[in-house]
Amino acid sequence: MKSDLFSSEHMAQPATAPGMTLQNSKSIKYAVNGEMHARQGAMIAFRGNLQFERKGQGLGGLLKRAVTGEGLALMAVRGQGEAWFAHEAANCFIVEMDQGDSLTINGRNVLCFDATLSYEIKTVKGAGMVGGGLFNSVFTGYGKLGLVCEGTPIVIPVTAAQPVYVDTDAVVGWSQQLTTSLHRSQSVGSMVRGGSGEAVQLMLQGEGFVIVRPSEARPEKTSN
């Protein structure tokens, strides 16, 4: 049987070392030798001796989603083998963190991560009570973090002289040393008359970067 489908570009090769690698732009391959963590429902294939365990629904098992205050359920993957992860054909990226690094990420953009990374759910400072609060997850420690993003992300530098304003529905994450606050771009009267819907943005100040996706959050799918 012959086809471009069977080219090396598409063929999964045996892992040469434990850990996370890009299978292609839409999926991440993880060679498990011990334990790793991933969002529930993100595993699309595996081989080897692996066990998948749903993490508890306490704070340790959830990554808060922005604005809604809902949680993203996680699972632990243990054993020896290979697993592939993806989410709705979104683009995948791997961030390699060194000891001392700290990165704030929206839970909806987390795909998988090394068990050596620590995460803590925090309320975004200065965000007040927008939609019941703005929650993100702060990752620290040494290891790799797999992210997903609808479309091609934009990384915008933030400087002390030039803060950046982002739509809370479009933000993926930012460097933890930045300070955050809410910025209102329209008067209350303008919003009452029917403004653009972009009345409130998250303002980031300091020295670092912010990652945004080229679209706002889509409505959640409802089950029939």
Side-chain angles (χ1 to χ4, degrees), residues 32 60 65 76 79-80 117 131 137 139 183 198:
V32 185
R65 300 191 58 192
Q80 285 76 40
L117 289 176
S137 299
F139 283 85
H183 173 75
E198 304 297 324

Side-chain angles (χ1 to χ4, degrees), residues 74-89:
L74 297 175
M75 63 181 176
V77 183
R78 300 184 179 93
Q80 285 76 40
E82 297 168 300
W84 287 261
F85 300 94
H87 181 67
E88 297 183 349

Side-chain angles (χ1 to χ4, degrees), residues 83-194:
W84 287 261
F85 300 94
H87 181 67
E88 297 183 349
N91 291 324
C92 295
F93 302 89
I94 295 175
V95 178
E96 189 166 352
M97 299 180 63
D98 293 322
Q99 200 68 44
D101 288 345
S102 184
L103 183 63
T104 296
I105 292 293
N106 193 312
R108 69 186 174 214
N109 296 104
V110 175
L111 182 64
C112 56
F113 55 96
D114 289 343
T116 54
L117 289 176
S118 299
Y119 62 91
E120 183 180 2
I121 301 163
K122 289 189 176 182
T123 303
V124 177
K125 291 182 179 179
M129 293 303 294
V130 175
L134 187 63
F135 300 90
N136 271 23
S137 299
V138 180
F139 283 85
T140 55
Y142 175 83
K144 291 182 179 181
L145 171 63
L147 304 178
V148 290
C149 179
E150 291 183 5
T152 303
I154 306 163
V155 180
I156 305 173
V158 181
T159 66
Q162 198 166 33
V164 176
Y165 307 85
V166 298
D167 184 344
T168 57
D169 285 334
V171 66
V172 173
W174 60 86
S175 46
Q176 177 61 14
Q177 64 268 31
L178 296 177
T179 59
T180 58
S181 60
L182 285 186
H183 173 75
R184 298 187 181 276
S185 59
Q186 292 179 320
S187 67
V188 173
S190 174
M191 286 188 283
V192 169
R193 290 191 297 271

Side-chain angles (χ1 to χ4, degrees), residues 27-95:
S27 64
I28 286 177
K29 175 183 177 180
Y30 201 111
V32 185
N33 183 24
E35 180 176 343
M36 57 85 62
H37 298 151
R39 68 189 294 159
Q40 285 185 28
M43 189 274 293
I44 57 173
F46 78 95
R47 60 188 176 189
N49 183 21
L50 295 177
Q51 294 81 44
F52 300 85
E53 179 183 332
R54 182 173 181 171
K55 290 180 68 66
Q57 293 304 293
L59 289 183
L62 296 175
L63 296 179
K64 286 291 185 180
R65 300 191 58 192
V67 181
T68 64
E70 297 172 356
L72 172 67
L74 297 175
M75 63 181 176
V77 183
R78 300 184 179 93
Q80 285 76 40
E82 297 168 300
W84 287 261
F85 300 94
H87 181 67
E88 297 183 349
N91 291 324
C92 295
F93 302 89
I94 295 175
V95 178

